Amino acid sequence: MILAGTSTDRLDITAIRLQFPILSRMVKGRPLIYLDNAATTQKPQAVIDAISQYYCGYNANIHRGIHTLAEEATAAYEDSRTALQEFIGAASADEIIFTRGTTEGINLVAYTWGRANIIAGDEIIISEMEHHSNIVPWQILCKEKGAELKVIPVMDNGELSMPAYLDLLTTRTKLVAVTQVSNALGTVNPVKEIIRAAHRAGALVLIDGAQSAVHLDINVQDMDCDFFAFSGHKLYGPTGIGVLYGKKELLNHMPVFHGGGEMIKEVTFAYTTYNELPYKYEAGTPNIADAIALKSAIDFIKKHGRNQIRQHEAALLSYATEQLEAIPGLTIIGNAKEKASVISFIIKGLHPQDIGILLDNQGIAVRTGHHCTQPLMKRFGIPGTVRASFAVYNTTEEIDALVAGLRKAIKMLS
Amino acid sequence: MEKDIAAIEEAFIESFSFLDTWEEKYEYIIELGKKLPALDEQFKTEDKKIKGCQSTVWLVASYQDDKVFFKADSDAVIVKGLVSMLIEVLSGQAPDSILNARLEFIEKIGMHVHLAQTRSNGLRAMIAQMKDYARAFKIIHI
Protein backbone atom coordinates (compact mmCIF):
# COMPACT_ATOMS: atom_id res chain seq x y z
CA MET A 1 0.00 0.00 0.00
CA ILE A 2 1.43 3.33 -1.03
CA LEU A 3 -0.48 5.37 1.46
CA ALA A 4 -1.29 4.29 4.96
CA GLY A 5 -2.12 7.47 6.81
CA THR A 6 -3.23 10.97 6.02
CA SER A 7 0.09 12.28 4.82
CA THR A 8 2.60 11.40 2.16
CA ASP A 9 6.34 11.82 2.57
CA ARG A 10 6.19 15.40 1.55
CA LEU A 11 2.69 16.71 2.09
CA ASP A 12 1.19 17.31 5.49
CA ILE A 13 -2.45 16.76 4.60
CA THR A 14 -3.65 17.65 8.09
CA ALA A 15 -1.99 21.06 7.79
CA ILE A 16 -3.34 21.50 4.26
CA ARG A 17 -6.86 20.70 5.44
CA LEU A 18 -6.63 23.45 8.04
CA GLN A 19 -6.23 25.96 5.22
CA PHE A 20 -9.73 25.10 3.95
CA PRO A 21 -12.34 26.53 6.33
CA ILE A 22 -15.23 24.62 4.74
CA LEU A 23 -13.66 21.27 5.61
CA SER A 24 -14.48 21.80 9.25
CA ARG A 25 -18.21 22.13 8.70
CA MET A 26 -20.81 19.52 9.47
CA VAL A 27 -23.36 18.14 7.01
CA LYS A 28 -26.42 16.30 8.33
CA GLY A 29 -24.75 16.16 11.71
CA ARG A 30 -21.52 14.62 10.43
CA PRO A 31 -18.16 16.01 9.37
CA LEU A 32 -18.24 16.92 5.68
CA ILE A 33 -16.53 14.49 3.34
CA TYR A 34 -16.16 16.33 0.09
CA LEU A 35 -15.53 14.09 -2.90
CA ASP A 36 -17.01 16.22 -5.67
CA ASN A 37 -13.83 17.99 -6.67
CA ALA A 38 -14.23 17.45 -10.40
CA ALA A 39 -17.31 19.66 -10.18
CA THR A 40 -15.58 22.32 -8.13
CA THR A 41 -12.82 22.33 -5.57
CA GLN A 42 -12.99 24.00 -2.17
CA LYS A 43 -11.06 27.20 -1.59
CA PRO A 44 -8.11 27.77 0.73
CA GLN A 45 -8.18 30.71 3.13
CA ALA A 46 -5.60 32.55 0.98
CA VAL A 47 -8.01 32.65 -1.97
CA ILE A 48 -10.90 33.79 0.21
CA ASP A 49 -8.65 36.46 1.75
CA ALA A 50 -7.48 37.71 -1.64
CA ILE A 51 -11.08 38.42 -2.67
CA SER A 52 -11.84 40.15 0.59
CA GLN A 53 -8.59 42.17 0.54
CA TYR A 54 -9.42 43.51 -2.90
CA TYR A 55 -12.85 44.74 -1.81
CA CYS A 56 -11.63 46.00 1.56
CA GLY A 57 -8.41 47.60 0.39
CA TYR A 58 -8.20 48.56 -3.27
CA ASN A 59 -11.50 48.06 -5.07
CA ALA A 60 -11.27 50.11 -8.26
CA ASN A 61 -11.83 49.71 -11.95
CA ILE A 62 -8.69 48.79 -13.83
CA HIS A 63 -6.70 50.12 -16.79
CA ARG A 64 -8.32 53.55 -16.77
CA GLY A 65 -7.96 55.23 -13.44
CA ILE A 66 -5.04 57.41 -12.54
CA HIS A 67 -5.62 57.16 -8.79
CA THR A 68 -3.78 54.92 -6.36
CA LEU A 69 -6.52 52.33 -5.96
CA ALA A 70 -6.87 51.90 -9.73
CA GLU A 71 -3.13 51.48 -10.08
CA GLU A 72 -3.00 48.87 -7.32
CA ALA A 73 -5.94 46.95 -8.75
CA THR A 74 -4.51 47.07 -12.29
CA ALA A 75 -1.13 45.85 -11.06
CA ALA A 76 -2.67 42.93 -9.13
CA TYR A 77 -4.89 41.96 -12.07
CA GLU A 78 -1.97 41.99 -14.52
CA ASP A 79 0.25 40.17 -12.01
CA SER A 80 -2.30 37.40 -12.00
CA ARG A 81 -2.23 37.26 -15.79
CA THR A 82 1.55 36.88 -15.71
CA ALA A 83 1.27 34.16 -13.06
CA LEU A 84 -1.20 32.29 -15.27
CA GLN A 85 1.09 32.67 -18.26
CA GLU A 86 3.83 31.01 -16.29
CA PHE A 87 1.42 28.39 -14.87
CA ILE A 88 0.53 27.06 -18.34
CA GLY A 89 3.80 27.89 -20.05
CA ALA A 90 2.43 30.43 -22.53
CA ALA A 91 4.93 32.44 -24.56
CA SER A 92 3.37 35.79 -23.72
CA ALA A 93 0.96 37.28 -21.18
CA ASP A 94 -0.96 38.63 -24.19
CA GLU A 95 -2.07 35.07 -24.87
CA ILE A 96 -3.89 34.85 -21.53
CA ILE A 97 -7.48 36.02 -21.89
CA PHE A 98 -9.59 36.14 -18.76
CA THR A 99 -12.99 34.53 -19.28
CA ARG A 100 -15.80 33.38 -17.00
CA GLY A 101 -14.56 29.83 -17.31
CA THR A 102 -13.99 26.94 -19.69
CA THR A 103 -17.42 27.20 -21.29
CA GLU A 104 -16.97 30.86 -22.18
CA GLY A 105 -13.47 30.19 -23.51
CA ILE A 106 -14.73 27.48 -25.87
CA ASN A 107 -17.65 29.63 -26.97
CA LEU A 108 -15.30 32.52 -27.63
CA VAL A 109 -13.32 30.40 -30.08
CA ALA A 110 -16.46 29.01 -31.71
CA TYR A 111 -18.01 32.44 -32.18
CA THR A 112 -14.92 34.29 -33.36
CA TRP A 113 -12.42 31.97 -35.02
CA GLY A 114 -15.19 29.53 -35.92
CA ARG A 115 -17.48 32.03 -37.61
CA ALA A 116 -14.61 33.55 -39.56
CA ASN A 117 -13.00 30.32 -40.69
CA ILE A 118 -15.53 27.50 -40.94
CA ILE A 119 -17.40 27.09 -44.19
CA ALA A 120 -19.84 24.54 -45.58
CA GLY A 121 -18.27 21.14 -46.02
CA ASP A 122 -15.63 21.68 -43.32
CA GLU A 123 -15.28 19.18 -40.51
CA ILE A 124 -14.81 19.60 -36.78
CA ILE A 125 -13.73 16.65 -34.69
CA ILE A 126 -14.68 16.23 -31.05
CA SER A 127 -14.77 13.08 -28.93
CA GLU A 128 -17.46 10.92 -27.42
CA MET A 129 -16.27 11.78 -23.92
CA GLU A 130 -16.68 15.56 -24.20
CA HIS A 131 -18.84 17.39 -21.70
CA HIS A 132 -21.65 19.44 -23.15
CA SER A 133 -19.60 22.66 -23.16
CA ASN A 134 -17.27 21.13 -25.73
CA ILE A 135 -20.10 19.72 -27.84
CA VAL A 136 -22.85 22.31 -28.06
CA PRO A 137 -20.81 25.35 -29.27
CA TRP A 138 -19.46 23.25 -32.15
CA GLN A 139 -22.88 21.84 -32.92
CA ILE A 140 -24.26 25.39 -33.16
CA LEU A 141 -21.35 26.45 -35.37
CA CYS A 142 -21.65 23.43 -37.67
CA LYS A 143 -25.37 23.96 -38.07
CA GLU A 144 -24.90 27.62 -38.90
CA LYS A 145 -22.14 26.98 -41.43
CA GLY A 146 -23.20 23.66 -42.92
CA ALA A 147 -20.10 21.98 -41.51
CA GLU A 148 -19.94 18.46 -40.16
CA LEU A 149 -19.29 17.38 -36.57
CA LYS A 150 -17.36 14.13 -36.28
CA VAL A 151 -16.87 12.16 -33.11
CA ILE A 152 -13.90 10.08 -31.94
CA PRO A 153 -15.34 6.93 -30.33
CA VAL A 154 -14.54 5.85 -26.77
CA MET A 155 -13.47 2.26 -26.21
CA ASP A 156 -14.86 0.01 -23.49
CA ASN A 157 -12.01 0.82 -21.12
CA GLY A 158 -12.74 4.54 -21.40
CA GLU A 159 -9.87 5.44 -23.71
CA LEU A 160 -10.24 7.20 -27.03
CA SER A 161 -9.77 5.03 -30.08
CA MET A 162 -6.69 6.58 -31.66
CA PRO A 163 -6.91 4.56 -34.91
CA ALA A 164 -10.50 5.78 -35.31
CA TYR A 165 -9.32 9.35 -34.68
CA LEU A 166 -6.63 9.12 -37.34
CA ASP A 167 -9.24 7.79 -39.76
CA LEU A 168 -11.50 10.76 -39.08
CA LEU A 169 -8.82 13.31 -39.95
CA THR A 170 -9.12 14.55 -43.52
CA THR A 171 -8.08 17.61 -45.48
CA ARG A 172 -11.51 19.02 -44.62
CA THR A 173 -10.82 18.86 -40.88
CA LYS A 174 -10.44 22.44 -39.65
CA LEU A 175 -10.52 21.93 -35.91
CA VAL A 176 -10.09 19.18 -33.34
CA ALA A 177 -11.60 20.01 -29.94
CA VAL A 178 -10.94 17.44 -27.23
CA THR A 179 -10.68 17.28 -23.49
CA GLN A 180 -7.36 16.49 -21.87
CA VAL A 181 -8.98 14.70 -18.91
CA SER A 182 -12.49 13.23 -18.92
CA ASN A 183 -14.66 14.60 -16.11
CA ALA A 184 -16.80 11.46 -16.11
CA LEU A 185 -14.19 8.72 -16.56
CA GLY A 186 -10.94 10.26 -15.37
CA THR A 187 -9.23 9.23 -18.64
CA VAL A 188 -6.13 11.24 -19.48
CA ASN A 189 -5.99 11.60 -23.26
CA PRO A 190 -2.75 11.54 -25.29
CA VAL A 191 -3.18 15.16 -26.36
CA LYS A 192 0.30 15.62 -27.76
CA GLU A 193 -0.29 12.79 -30.19
CA ILE A 194 -3.76 14.13 -31.02
CA ILE A 195 -2.34 17.60 -31.67
CA ARG A 196 0.56 16.38 -33.80
CA ALA A 197 -1.77 14.36 -36.03
CA ALA A 198 -4.22 17.24 -36.35
CA HIS A 199 -1.49 19.68 -37.31
CA ARG A 200 -0.19 17.27 -39.92
CA ALA A 201 -3.68 17.28 -41.41
CA GLY A 202 -3.71 21.08 -41.34
CA ALA A 203 -6.25 21.44 -38.51
CA LEU A 204 -6.10 23.56 -35.39
CA VAL A 205 -6.59 22.08 -31.93
CA LEU A 206 -8.50 23.31 -28.91
CA ILE A 207 -7.78 21.48 -25.67
CA ASP A 208 -10.43 21.56 -22.96
CA GLY A 209 -8.36 21.84 -19.82
CA ALA A 210 -11.26 22.10 -17.35
CA GLN A 211 -10.22 18.92 -15.55
CA SER A 212 -6.54 18.77 -16.42
CA ALA A 213 -5.25 22.16 -15.29
CA VAL A 214 -5.45 21.15 -11.63
CA HIS A 215 -3.88 17.70 -12.01
CA LEU A 216 -1.32 17.80 -14.80
CA ASP A 217 1.71 19.90 -15.65
CA ILE A 218 0.48 22.15 -18.39
CA ASN A 219 2.83 23.59 -20.95
CA VAL A 220 0.89 24.89 -23.90
CA GLN A 221 4.04 25.53 -25.95
CA ASP A 222 5.33 22.02 -25.47
CA MET A 223 1.87 20.61 -26.12
CA ASP A 224 1.62 22.90 -29.16
CA CYS A 225 -2.16 23.29 -28.84
CA ASP A 226 -3.67 26.31 -30.55
CA PHE A 227 -6.23 27.02 -27.85
CA PHE A 228 -6.48 25.88 -24.23
CA ALA A 229 -9.45 26.68 -22.00
CA PHE A 230 -9.84 26.16 -18.27
CA SER A 231 -11.72 27.38 -15.19
CA GLY A 232 -10.38 28.79 -11.95
CA HIS A 233 -12.88 27.12 -9.65
CA LYS A 234 -11.68 23.62 -10.42
CA LEU A 235 -8.16 24.50 -9.27
CA TYR A 236 -8.89 25.91 -5.81
CA GLY A 237 -9.74 29.34 -7.26
CA PRO A 238 -12.96 31.35 -7.37
CA THR A 239 -15.97 30.66 -9.59
CA GLY A 240 -16.70 32.94 -12.54
CA ILE A 241 -13.10 33.27 -13.65
CA GLY A 242 -11.15 31.24 -16.15
CA VAL A 243 -8.63 31.53 -18.93
CA LEU A 244 -8.56 31.06 -22.64
CA TYR A 245 -5.07 30.63 -24.01
CA GLY A 246 -4.58 31.11 -27.73
CA LYS A 247 -1.51 31.42 -29.90
CA LYS A 248 -0.85 35.11 -30.37
CA GLU A 249 -0.84 35.15 -34.16
CA LEU A 250 -4.18 33.34 -34.19
CA LEU A 251 -5.77 35.64 -31.62
CA ASN A 252 -4.44 38.68 -33.45
CA HIS A 253 -6.18 37.65 -36.64
CA MET A 254 -9.45 36.54 -35.09
CA PRO A 255 -12.50 38.80 -35.09
CA VAL A 256 -13.67 40.36 -31.82
CA PHE A 257 -16.18 38.70 -29.51
CA HIS A 258 -18.05 41.04 -27.16
CA GLY A 259 -18.15 44.72 -28.03
CA GLY A 260 -17.75 47.42 -25.39
CA GLY A 261 -15.29 49.18 -23.12
CA GLU A 262 -11.71 47.91 -22.82
CA MET A 263 -11.77 46.10 -26.15
CA ILE A 264 -11.73 49.34 -28.16
CA LYS A 265 -9.00 51.68 -29.27
CA GLU A 266 -11.11 54.35 -30.93
CA VAL A 267 -14.85 54.59 -31.41
CA THR A 268 -16.63 56.87 -33.85
CA PHE A 269 -20.11 56.38 -35.22
CA ALA A 270 -18.54 55.48 -38.53
CA TYR A 271 -16.08 52.86 -37.32
CA THR A 272 -14.29 51.37 -34.30
CA THR A 273 -10.73 50.23 -34.02
CA TYR A 274 -9.96 47.52 -31.56
CA ASN A 275 -7.53 47.24 -28.72
CA GLU A 276 -4.61 44.89 -28.84
CA LEU A 277 -4.30 41.55 -27.06
CA PRO A 278 -5.40 40.49 -24.55
CA TYR A 279 -7.75 43.46 -24.03
CA LYS A 280 -9.34 42.88 -27.43
CA TYR A 281 -11.20 39.98 -25.80
CA GLU A 282 -11.90 41.53 -22.42
CA ALA A 283 -14.83 43.86 -23.05
CA GLY A 284 -16.41 45.63 -20.10
CA THR A 285 -15.29 45.61 -16.50
CA PRO A 286 -13.80 42.19 -15.90
CA ASN A 287 -14.13 39.98 -12.84
CA ILE A 288 -11.25 41.79 -11.14
CA ALA A 289 -11.48 40.33 -7.63
CA ASP A 290 -11.66 36.74 -8.78
CA ALA A 291 -8.94 37.18 -11.40
CA ILE A 292 -6.65 38.48 -8.65
CA ALA A 293 -7.63 35.67 -6.28
CA LEU A 294 -6.89 33.09 -8.97
CA LYS A 295 -3.22 33.92 -8.53
CA SER A 296 -3.52 32.93 -4.86
CA ALA A 297 -4.94 29.58 -5.96
CA ILE A 298 -2.00 29.02 -8.28
CA ASP A 299 0.38 30.05 -5.50
CA PHE A 300 -1.28 27.45 -3.27
CA ILE A 301 -0.67 24.73 -5.87
CA LYS A 302 2.89 25.87 -6.48
CA LYS A 303 3.68 26.04 -2.79
CA HIS A 304 2.72 22.42 -2.23
CA GLY A 305 4.09 21.25 -5.57
CA ARG A 306 2.10 19.91 -8.46
CA ASN A 307 4.13 16.75 -8.41
CA GLN A 308 3.51 16.06 -4.72
CA ILE A 309 -0.17 16.86 -5.07
CA ARG A 310 -0.38 14.51 -8.03
CA GLN A 311 1.35 11.74 -6.09
CA HIS A 312 -1.07 12.14 -3.21
CA GLU A 313 -4.07 12.09 -5.55
CA ALA A 314 -2.71 9.06 -7.42
CA ALA A 315 -2.35 7.23 -4.13
CA LEU A 316 -5.94 8.13 -3.21
CA LEU A 317 -7.16 6.92 -6.61
CA SER A 318 -5.39 3.60 -6.35
CA TYR A 319 -6.58 3.08 -2.76
CA ALA A 320 -10.16 3.99 -3.69
CA THR A 321 -10.10 1.74 -6.75
CA GLU A 322 -8.93 -1.17 -4.64
CA GLN A 323 -11.49 -0.57 -1.89
CA LEU A 324 -14.43 0.04 -4.21
CA GLU A 325 -13.73 -3.00 -6.37
CA ALA A 326 -14.20 -5.14 -3.27
CA ILE A 327 -17.87 -4.11 -3.08
CA PRO A 328 -20.11 -6.77 -4.64
CA GLY A 329 -21.98 -5.59 -7.73
CA LEU A 330 -19.84 -2.50 -8.19
CA THR A 331 -18.43 -1.77 -11.64
CA ILE A 332 -15.99 1.03 -12.33
CA ILE A 333 -16.75 2.86 -15.57
CA GLY A 334 -13.51 4.01 -17.16
CA ASN A 335 -10.39 1.93 -16.64
CA ALA A 336 -7.95 3.84 -18.81
CA LYS A 337 -4.28 3.22 -18.18
CA GLU A 338 -3.78 6.93 -17.55
CA LYS A 339 -6.33 8.34 -15.14
CA ALA A 340 -6.70 11.49 -13.10
CA SER A 341 -8.19 11.23 -9.61
CA VAL A 342 -11.74 10.65 -10.78
CA ILE A 343 -13.54 7.38 -10.15
CA SER A 344 -16.93 6.71 -11.68
CA PHE A 345 -18.96 3.63 -10.88
CA ILE A 346 -22.34 1.95 -10.97
CA ILE A 347 -23.83 -0.65 -8.67
CA LYS A 348 -25.87 -3.43 -10.19
CA GLY A 349 -29.61 -2.90 -9.87
CA LEU A 350 -29.31 0.43 -8.09
CA HIS A 351 -29.86 3.94 -9.41
CA PRO A 352 -26.97 6.40 -8.91
CA GLN A 353 -29.33 9.05 -7.57
CA ASP A 354 -30.56 6.78 -4.77
CA ILE A 355 -26.97 6.13 -3.75
CA GLY A 356 -26.12 9.83 -3.88
CA ILE A 357 -29.06 10.75 -1.64
CA LEU A 358 -28.13 8.12 0.96
CA LEU A 359 -24.47 9.17 0.91
CA ASP A 360 -25.44 12.81 1.36
CA ASN A 361 -27.38 11.84 4.47
CA GLN A 362 -24.09 10.52 5.82
CA GLY A 363 -22.28 13.80 5.10
CA ILE A 364 -20.56 12.45 1.98
CA ALA A 365 -20.68 14.64 -1.11
CA VAL A 366 -20.29 12.79 -4.41
CA ARG A 367 -21.66 13.54 -7.83
CA THR A 368 -24.31 11.36 -9.38
CA GLY A 369 -25.93 11.57 -12.79
CA HIS A 370 -24.68 12.02 -16.32
CA HIS A 371 -22.00 14.62 -15.46
CA CYS A 372 -23.09 16.73 -18.43
CA THR A 373 -21.82 13.99 -20.74
CA GLN A 374 -25.10 12.49 -21.95
CA PRO A 375 -23.66 11.01 -25.18
CA LEU A 376 -20.96 9.25 -23.14
CA MET A 377 -23.53 7.74 -20.75
CA LYS A 378 -25.50 6.56 -23.79
CA ARG A 379 -22.31 4.98 -25.13
CA PHE A 380 -22.03 2.91 -21.94
CA GLY A 381 -25.79 2.27 -21.85
CA ILE A 382 -26.24 3.68 -18.34
CA PRO A 383 -28.36 6.54 -16.92
CA GLY A 384 -25.39 7.89 -15.06
CA THR A 385 -22.76 7.01 -12.52
CA VAL A 386 -21.73 7.78 -8.99
CA ARG A 387 -18.52 9.77 -9.17
CA ALA A 388 -16.00 10.36 -6.43
CA SER A 389 -13.23 12.78 -7.37
CA PHE A 390 -10.30 13.65 -5.14
CA ALA A 391 -8.30 16.75 -4.35
CA VAL A 392 -5.18 17.39 -2.31
CA TYR A 393 -7.11 17.68 0.97
CA ASN A 394 -8.77 14.28 0.74
CA THR A 395 -7.57 11.36 2.87
CA THR A 396 -7.69 7.59 2.87
CA GLU A 397 -9.92 7.83 5.95
CA GLU A 398 -12.45 9.68 3.83
CA ILE A 399 -12.32 6.92 1.25
CA ASP A 400 -12.93 4.40 4.04
CA ALA A 401 -15.96 6.45 5.06
CA LEU A 402 -17.17 6.47 1.44
CA VAL A 403 -16.88 2.70 1.28
CA ALA A 404 -18.71 2.26 4.59
CA GLY A 405 -21.36 4.76 3.48
CA LEU A 406 -21.81 2.90 0.22
CA ARG A 407 -22.20 -0.43 1.95
CA LYS A 408 -24.86 1.10 4.14
CA ALA A 409 -26.66 2.65 1.15
CA ILE A 410 -26.60 -0.66 -0.71
CA LYS A 411 -28.03 -2.45 2.30
CA MET A 412 -30.83 0.09 2.64
CA LEU A 413 -31.72 -0.12 -1.04
CA SER A 414 -31.53 -3.88 -1.43
CA MET B 1 -66.65 9.17 0.25
CA GLU B 2 -62.96 9.63 -0.63
CA LYS B 3 -60.63 10.82 2.06
CA ASP B 4 -59.73 14.41 1.49
CA ILE B 5 -56.22 15.58 0.72
CA ALA B 6 -55.61 17.11 4.13
CA ALA B 7 -56.55 13.85 5.88
CA ILE B 8 -54.15 11.80 3.74
CA GLU B 9 -51.38 14.34 4.26
CA GLU B 10 -52.04 14.17 8.00
CA ALA B 11 -51.72 10.38 7.92
CA PHE B 12 -48.28 10.66 6.30
CA ILE B 13 -47.17 13.25 8.84
CA GLU B 14 -48.27 10.91 11.62
CA SER B 15 -46.48 7.92 10.09
CA PHE B 16 -43.28 9.91 9.84
CA SER B 17 -43.55 11.14 13.42
CA PHE B 18 -42.79 7.59 14.52
CA LEU B 19 -39.60 7.51 12.45
CA ASP B 20 -36.75 8.97 14.46
CA THR B 21 -33.68 8.65 12.29
CA TRP B 22 -32.97 9.54 8.68
CA GLU B 23 -32.36 5.85 8.05
CA GLU B 24 -35.87 4.95 9.18
CA LYS B 25 -37.43 7.71 7.09
CA TYR B 26 -35.58 6.68 3.95
CA GLU B 27 -36.19 2.99 4.53
CA TYR B 28 -39.91 3.79 4.72
CA ILE B 29 -39.76 5.79 1.47
CA ILE B 30 -37.72 3.07 -0.24
CA GLU B 31 -40.37 0.55 0.84
CA LEU B 32 -43.14 2.75 -0.58
CA GLY B 33 -41.13 3.01 -3.81
CA LYS B 34 -40.80 -0.74 -4.05
CA LYS B 35 -44.48 -1.27 -3.33
CA LEU B 36 -45.74 1.10 -6.02
CA PRO B 37 -46.67 -1.12 -8.96
CA ALA B 38 -44.45 -0.69 -11.99
CA LEU B 39 -46.07 1.18 -14.82
CA ASP B 40 -46.87 -0.95 -17.82
CA GLU B 41 -44.06 -0.64 -20.40
CA GLN B 42 -46.50 0.70 -23.01
CA PHE B 43 -46.90 3.87 -20.92
CA LYS B 44 -43.17 4.49 -20.61
CA THR B 45 -43.06 6.73 -23.63
CA GLU B 46 -41.31 10.05 -24.26
CA ASP B 47 -44.48 12.11 -23.81
CA LYS B 48 -45.10 10.61 -20.37
CA LYS B 49 -41.60 11.39 -19.16
CA ILE B 50 -40.77 14.08 -16.65
CA LYS B 51 -37.09 14.49 -17.14
CA GLY B 52 -34.86 15.39 -14.26
CA CYS B 53 -31.13 15.76 -14.49
CA GLN B 54 -30.67 12.39 -12.82
CA SER B 55 -33.74 10.21 -12.78
CA THR B 56 -36.83 9.88 -14.90
CA VAL B 57 -40.46 9.84 -13.80
CA TRP B 58 -43.26 8.58 -16.02
CA LEU B 59 -46.69 9.99 -15.21
CA VAL B 60 -50.03 8.89 -16.62
CA ALA B 61 -53.36 10.56 -15.82
CA SER B 62 -56.97 9.61 -16.47
CA TYR B 63 -60.36 11.11 -15.64
CA GLN B 64 -63.36 9.26 -14.29
CA ASP B 65 -66.47 10.29 -12.32
CA ASP B 66 -65.23 13.87 -11.97
CA LYS B 67 -61.96 12.72 -10.49
CA VAL B 68 -58.38 12.59 -11.73
CA PHE B 69 -56.41 9.36 -11.36
CA PHE B 70 -52.63 9.12 -11.56
CA LYS B 71 -50.19 6.31 -12.13
CA ALA B 72 -46.45 6.79 -12.14
CA ASP B 73 -43.09 5.12 -12.10
CA SER B 74 -39.46 6.13 -11.76
CA ASP B 75 -36.11 4.51 -12.41
CA ALA B 76 -34.85 5.66 -8.99
CA VAL B 77 -36.48 4.06 -5.97
CA ILE B 78 -36.35 7.02 -3.55
CA VAL B 79 -37.99 9.25 -6.14
CA LYS B 80 -40.50 6.48 -6.73
CA GLY B 81 -41.29 6.44 -3.02
CA LEU B 82 -41.85 10.18 -2.99
CA VAL B 83 -43.97 9.86 -6.13
CA SER B 84 -45.97 7.11 -4.46
CA MET B 85 -46.89 9.51 -1.65
CA LEU B 86 -47.93 12.18 -4.14
CA ILE B 87 -50.16 9.66 -5.89
CA GLU B 88 -51.67 8.56 -2.59
CA VAL B 89 -52.46 12.20 -1.80
CA LEU B 90 -53.61 13.45 -5.20
CA SER B 91 -54.97 10.49 -7.15
CA GLY B 92 -58.76 10.12 -7.04
CA GLN B 93 -59.33 13.75 -6.14
CA ALA B 94 -61.37 16.39 -7.92
CA PRO B 95 -59.45 18.76 -10.24
CA ASP B 96 -60.00 21.74 -7.96
CA SER B 97 -58.76 19.88 -4.89
CA ILE B 98 -55.59 18.97 -6.78
CA LEU B 99 -55.09 22.52 -8.01
CA ASN B 100 -55.53 23.90 -4.50
CA ALA B 101 -53.34 21.30 -2.78
CA ARG B 102 -50.36 22.94 -1.09
CA LEU B 103 -48.71 19.65 -0.20
CA GLU B 104 -47.22 20.98 3.01
CA PHE B 105 -46.70 17.45 4.27
CA ILE B 106 -43.54 17.23 2.15
CA GLU B 107 -41.90 19.87 4.32
CA LYS B 108 -43.39 18.50 7.53
CA ILE B 109 -41.92 15.03 6.97
CA GLY B 110 -38.56 16.60 6.18
CA MET B 111 -38.45 15.74 2.48
CA HIS B 112 -38.48 19.33 1.17
CA VAL B 113 -34.80 18.93 0.32
CA HIS B 114 -36.00 16.95 -2.67
CA LEU B 115 -38.17 19.82 -3.79
CA ALA B 116 -35.24 22.21 -3.76
CA GLN B 117 -33.24 20.01 -6.11
CA THR B 118 -35.48 20.66 -9.06
CA ARG B 119 -32.83 19.80 -11.62
CA SER B 120 -31.78 16.57 -10.04
CA ASN B 121 -35.04 14.72 -9.58
CA GLY B 122 -37.89 16.66 -11.01
CA LEU B 123 -40.21 16.23 -7.99
CA ARG B 124 -41.35 19.81 -8.33
CA ALA B 125 -41.82 19.24 -12.07
CA MET B 126 -43.86 16.15 -11.19
CA ILE B 127 -46.21 18.15 -8.96
CA ALA B 128 -46.51 20.84 -11.65
CA GLN B 129 -47.36 18.17 -14.21
CA MET B 130 -50.05 16.63 -11.95
CA LYS B 131 -51.62 20.06 -11.52
CA ASP B 132 -51.43 20.66 -15.27
CA TYR B 133 -53.39 17.46 -15.84
CA ALA B 134 -55.98 18.54 -13.27
CA ARG B 135 -56.28 21.93 -14.99
CA ALA B 136 -56.66 20.32 -18.41
CA PHE B 137 -59.33 17.84 -17.26
CA LYS B 138 -61.19 20.67 -15.57
CA ILE B 139 -61.25 22.68 -18.79
CA ILE B 140 -62.35 19.69 -20.88
CA HIS B 141 -65.00 18.28 -18.56
CA ILE B 142 -66.40 21.09 -16.46
Side-chain angles (χ1 to χ4, degrees), chain A residues 72-83:
Chain A
E72 287 175 6
T74 304
Y77 184 80
E78 292 304 329
D79 270 359
S80 182
R81 196 192 305 276
T82 310

Side-chain angles (χ1 to χ4, degrees), chain A residues 364-382:
Chain A
I364 303 166
V366 293
R367 184 61 146 242
T368 61
H370 54 60
H371 317 296
C372 294
T373 58
Q374 288 185 11
L376 183 67
M377 295 298 116
K378 209 168 178 182
R379 150 75 181 84
F380 283 100
I382 50 178

Side-chain angles (χ1 to χ4, degrees), chain B residues 33-106:
Chain B
K34 286 181 175 169
K35 275 201 294 207
L36 186 71
L39 201 59
D40 204 273
E41 284 301 317
Q42 60 166 322
F43 295 119
K44 289 190 176 179
T45 51
E46 273 305 304
D47 60 321
K48 306 284 190 299
K49 262 187 190 178
I50 300 168
K51 280 185 186 165
C53 182
Q54 307 218 348
S55 54
T56 304
V57 172
W58 293 267
L59 176 69
V60 181
S62 58
Y63 191 77
Q64 212 183 339
D65 302 332
D66 304 331
K67 292 189 170 64
V68 186
F69 294 86
F70 296 107
K71 280 183 184 173
D73 204 342
S74 172
D75 54 351
V77 73
I78 293 174
V79 172
K80 201 173 166 183
L82 296 166
V83 160
S84 156
M85 286 194 274
L86 286 175
I87 288 185
E88 178 80 20
V89 173
L90 296 180
S91 189
Q93 302 291 341
D96 272 334
S97 308
I98 294 167
L99 287 168
N100 294 330
R102 296 178 62 184
L103 304 171
E104 282 165 348
F105 81 102
I106 297 170

Side-chain angles (χ1 to χ4, degrees), chain A residues 202-254:
Chain A
L204 297 185
V205 181
L206 177 143
I207 297 296
D208 177 344
Q211 297 294 330
S212 63
V214 67
H215 298 298
L216 308 178
D217 288 316
I218 306 295
N219 187 307
V220 288
Q221 289 186 78
D222 177 55
M223 212 190 286
D224 199 26
C225 57
D226 302 286
F227 301 105
F228 186 86
F230 64 101
S231 304
H233 72 98
K234 292 188 201 283
L235 47 110
Y236 311 107
T239 55
I241 190 77
V243 166
L244 172 71
Y245 157 84
K247 284 181 180 165
K248 201 170 177 177
E249 55 184 80
L250 273 169
L251 293 175
N252 266 329
H253 288 99
M254 278 156 49

